Amino acid sequence: MSAPYFTLPEFKYVKPQTLEEALKILAENAGEAKILNGGIGVLGFMKERMIEAKILVDIKGIKELKKIEYMPGKGLVVGATVTANELLQYLEKNPEIKKKFSALYESTSDLADAILRNRATIIGNILEGLPYTDAPGPAILFEAEVKAVSTRGERVLPVEGLVLGPMMTRLEPDEIVTEILYKEPPAGARTGYVKFNPGLEYGYVNVAALVANPDNPQKRDVRIVITSATTLPFRPKAAEEVFKQDIPFEKAAELAAKKIEEEIEPLSDPYASAEYRRYLASTLTYKLLIKLARGE
Ligand SMILES: Cc1cc2nc3c(=O)[nH]c(=O)nc-3n(C[C@H](O)[C@H](O)[C@H](O)COP(=O)(O)OP(=O)(O)OC[C@H]3O[C@@H](n4cnc5c(N)ncnc54)[C@H](O)[C@@H]3O)c2cc1C
């Protein structure tokens, strides 16, 4: 008799204690083995029979993947098995770093609930590839890169463009992401995150933004990443370009909001229509940009 829906199919569970051991298992079982990190996504998708794995390779025993390190001028490195709560605790203990990466702090505080944050890893949240997750926006905002390692060597990939859809990425099946580097924001930049989710855990629309030198058009730097509104994270480059014009910040923010409204192609689902998401994306971005520019 086949297994009923919402029970896990059979699989072999392995928990290597070193990276070398884990890479060897993945190389020898390419296509049949999957990485188990926090496991929230991978086990859920297996229960729903949306993905298959004969072997789950639990990477949480590999000590070197549990690191958080700030390198002045370079950025913040977060290891593959660091959970949302571990990152929050680190940032709370280091207020200067928290201030630099406030969009990361705010989005991680908003990620699901306290119980899930004890389990969910930042890397797993990004690689799960759901449109609604909270970690991808700030990662793209801080131009983050992941280090992917296999028995063939290692490579560095930008988070922007890494994910192709739910449980689909540009990674090879034998690669492990060992860490993510959030790049140092420009000096004096302010960053923030808003999640619009009344009555839900996931956001209808999430916006991450960065504003540096708002009153100096020659030196202004504005970055915007919208998630939850579209299938994949949306970086409205045309809206960002508006801030290069020699016009006051508030005027540029108005024009940018209009560009977002014109260019975004939002999802429509039982929670929010495409039209509502278009309105939210434009309005939330405008409000966040003004707040960051005013230093509120
Ligand atoms: C009730 C509920 C509410 C939720 N609410 C929210 C919410 O509000 N916001 C939100 O963002 N999310 C939410 N989630 C989703 C949850 O946060 C994610 O499922 C979780 O963050 C995924 O991380 P993980 O560590 O469990 O990843 P896993 O499930 O372990 O992994 C996810 C995917 O990434 C791959 N992977 C993981 N680590 C690596 C690695 N190092 N190298 C290569 N591949 C890797 C895995 O093989 C798998 O394909 C919710 C989930 C539930 C069940």
Side-chain angles (χ1 to χ4, degrees):
M1 203 170 87
S2 63
Y5 182 67
F6 266 137
T7 58
L8 274 168
E10 275 190 28
F11 61 88
K12 187 175 165 195
Y13 170 82
V14 289
K15 192 171 184 185
Q17 300 298 306
T18 66
L19 186 59
E20 290 65 35
E21 207 188 324
L23 292 174
K24 191 164 171 276
I25 298 168
L26 287 173
E28 286 170 357
N29 299 279
E32 304 220 307
K34 286 209 187 310
I35 293 166
L36 178 88
N37 207 340
I40 301 168
V42 79
L43 295 176
F45 275 77
M46 279 176 74
K47 280 181 180 174
E48 294 186 42
R49 306 298 190 267
M50 289 167 80
I51 57 165
E52 283 179 9
K54 293 218 166 93
I55 306 172
L56 284 184
V57 185
D58 187 342
I59 57 171
K60 290 190 292 296
I62 305 170
K63 287 198 181 66
E64 67 204 79
L65 302 184
K66 188 67 99 184
K67 72 163 182 188
I68 309 181
E69 188 185 357
Y70 173 64
M71 293 182 286
K74 196 166 179 219
L76 180 67
V77 176
V78 177
T81 59
V82 171
T83 64
N85 268 347
E86 286 164 346
L87 178 60
L88 289 175
Q89 281 158 16
Y90 172 87
L91 293 172
E92 279 158 12
K93 277 192 204 139
N94 295 279
E96 284 306 311
I97 304 172
K98 178 182 160 199
K99 198 172 158 199
K100 266 184 203 288
F101 294 94
S102 43
L104 177 61
Y105 179 78
E106 289 165 16
S107 67
T108 310
S109 313
D110 274 346
L111 193 156
D113 54 44
I115 297 170
L116 284 166
R117 285 196 292 273
N118 269 335
R119 189 84 194 165
T121 63
I122 298 296
I123 297 287
N125 190 274
I126 293 172
L127 297 179
E128 189 176 1
L130 292 176
Y132 315 107
T133 44
D134 288 290
I140 294 169
L141 190 77
F142 292 109
E143 299 177 337
E145 293 172 342
V146 294
K147 192 192 278 185
V149 181
S150 70
T151 50
R152 291 166 285 112
E154 66 176 55
R155 57 187 184 137
V156 171
L157 299 161
V159 172
E160 189 166 7
L162 177 65
V163 164
L164 305 172
M167 292 289 173
M168 283 185 291
T169 68
R170 290 189 194 283
L171 294 168
E172 296 297 332
D174 63 344
E175 281 181 313
I176 297 180
V177 168
T178 54
E179 61 187 42
I180 178 168
L181 167 70
Y182 293 87
K183 289 194 189 153
E184 181 94 6
R190 296 191 192 105
T191 68
Y193 185 75
V194 282
K195 174 172 179 172
F196 186 82
N197 64 332
L200 274 187
E201 261 180 348
Y202 288 114
Y204 300 94
V205 172
N206 309 325
V207 183
L210 174 151
V211 174
N213 302 307
D215 301 324
N216 182 345
Q218 276 78 45
K219 290 190 173 172
R220 250 184 222 153
D221 191 352
V222 173
R223 298 181 205 161
I224 305 160
V225 187
I226 300 170
T227 50
S228 249
T230 46
T231 318
L232 294 172
F234 175 55
R235 181 139 186 214
K237 294 265 164 74
E240 292 179 352
E241 283 295 309
V242 168
F243 292 90
K244 295 193 174 139
Q245 294 176 31
D246 194 359
I247 51 176
F249 187 89
E250 296 215 356
K251 181 74 198 157
E254 264 174 44
L255 294 176
K258 281 208 185 84
K259 286 245 177 268
I260 290 169
E261 230 174 279
E262 284 160 20
E263 289 184 7
I264 197 165
E265 289 178 19
L267 291 164
S268 190
D269 59 27
Y271 300 108
S273 65
E275 200 185 340
Y276 186 40
R277 281 202 168 92
R278 185 187 309 281
Y279 165 79
L280 285 175
S282 155
T283 313
L284 294 174
T285 305
Y286 175 79
K287 286 187 175 173
L288 179 59
L289 290 172
I290 296 294
K291 185 178 147 204
L292 293 173
R294 290 182 184 158
E296 289 167 356

